[in-house]
Amino acid sequence: PETFGFDTITSSKVVEGKFTLKGSLDVPSLVYPRFIVEVDYVNAEGDTKTTKIACTDAVALENGHFYYDAWVRDFSTRTFVGGKLHQNIYQLERENTEIYNLKREYESTVSYARVQKMNGTPQTEINKYIGDYQKIYKDYKSALGNYISEKINGEIPTIEKALLLEAHGLSNIENEDLIKSVHSDISTEFGEESFHFQYLSTLIEKESKLS
């Protein structure tokens, strides 16, 4: 399929910075908290207007009780407490020094370039930092792909292997047999009608078109 649809599990209103969500999942899945925020802006005529913007995060979720705290302008500062699945999927740099250092390096490079641009640094100078970022990010993605491959080769549940591929994509996994193995195991454990089998099938089809 060309596209893949997602369902709304539950929703709630944020009141004084707090909200509560309730629901359940048949199997652990990636979910995407989406916040609709009203913001004021000044138009070309100088009038103050209000509009709505959507900000979306990504969380690896399983049934249980969780605490979530985030700033919609920078989800990297989020706090997510309650179970290890999210950490195992989205916070791999906590387990691997190389990934951690590369991630910090490319994030600091991007931040520095943004500050320089705000300070009026010429674009020709900014482009140097963009080049640095692209190289560091490529190294980061390579290290991440190698580490994900190691985890998939290890003794972790099939659903966790599937979520790792769904969250981080397939392009950095050099061993295609690993992907095929996870795809097959999902079919065996959850069936070909399951969300995870169909979603991974979509990713495999997409990657084959890009290669």
Side-chain angles (χ1 to χ4, degrees):
E2 293 295 330
T3 60
F4 202 91
F6 295 89
D7 295 327
T8 299
I9 302 172
T10 184
S11 62
S12 177
K13 287 186 176 182
V14 178
V15 179
E16 295 182 354
K18 298 180 181 180
F19 66 94
T20 300
L21 294 174
K22 297 180 180 180
S24 62
L25 298 170
D26 294 332
V27 293
S29 299
L30 304 183
V31 300
Y32 302 92
R34 193 165 189 258
F35 299 91
I36 309 299
V37 184
E38 287 191 353
V39 296
D40 294 332
Y41 70 99
V42 179
N43 64 15
E45 289 74 33
D47 300 322
T48 300
K49 300 290 185 179
T50 299
T51 188
K52 293 182 179 180
I53 61 172
C55 308
T56 303
D57 195 8
V59 172
L61 191 65
E62 56 196 320
N63 288 329
H65 298 280
F66 304 93
Y67 171 81
Y68 175 94
D69 183 22
W71 184 39
V72 294
R73 291 190 178 184
D74 184 3
F75 287 117
S76 67
T77 62
R78 86 167 74 80
T79 299
F80 187 78
V81 180
K84 294 185 177 180
L85 184 61
H86 178 78
Q87 179 175 319
N88 292 346
I89 302 301
Y90 279 116
Q91 297 176 314
L92 300 181
E93 66 273 11
R94 290 188 175 186
E95 307 170 6
N96 186 286
T97 302
E98 180 184 12
I99 294 174
Y100 175 82
N101 289 336
L102 285 169
K103 185 176 182 181
R104 289 290 300 272
E105 190 175 359
Y106 85 71
E107 286 178 343
S108 64
T109 301
V110 172
S111 297
Y112 186 73
R114 287 174 178 169
V115 171
Q116 293 301 304
K117 187 170 184 177
M118 290 173 60
N119 290 339
T121 301
Q123 187 62 44
T124 52
E125 292 293 324
I126 299 296
N127 289 342
K128 176 184 179 301
Y129 299 109
I130 294 175
D132 292 341
Y133 159 80
Q134 290 173 336
K135 181 186 182 306
I136 297 168
Y137 187 69
K138 182 179 180 180
D139 292 342
Y140 162 74
K141 294 291 283 184
S142 177
L144 181 62
N146 291 336
Y147 189 57
I148 289 173
S149 296
E150 291 178 10
K151 289 183 71 70
I152 290 176
N153 263 325
E155 297 297 324
I156 62 175
T158 298
I159 187 63
E160 189 170 325
K161 296 178 182 180
L163 293 177
L164 282 167
L165 294 178
E166 292 173 17
H168 300 287
L170 314 181
S171 60
N172 298 300
I173 309 298
E174 295 185 1
N175 189 342
E176 294 183 2
D177 289 339
L178 279 178
I179 298 172
K180 293 177 181 177
S181 176
V182 175
H183 197 222
S184 176
D185 289 344
I186 294 173
S187 173
T188 301
E189 292 190 29
F190 301 102
E192 294 189 3
E193 298 301 316
S194 67
F195 172 87
H196 290 291
F197 180 85
Q198 294 187 28
Y199 189 30
L200 188 53
S201 297
T202 301
L203 292 180
I204 291 172
E205 180 181 350
K206 179 180 178 181
E207 292 294 337
S208 67
K209 289 181 179 180
L210 295 177
S211 62

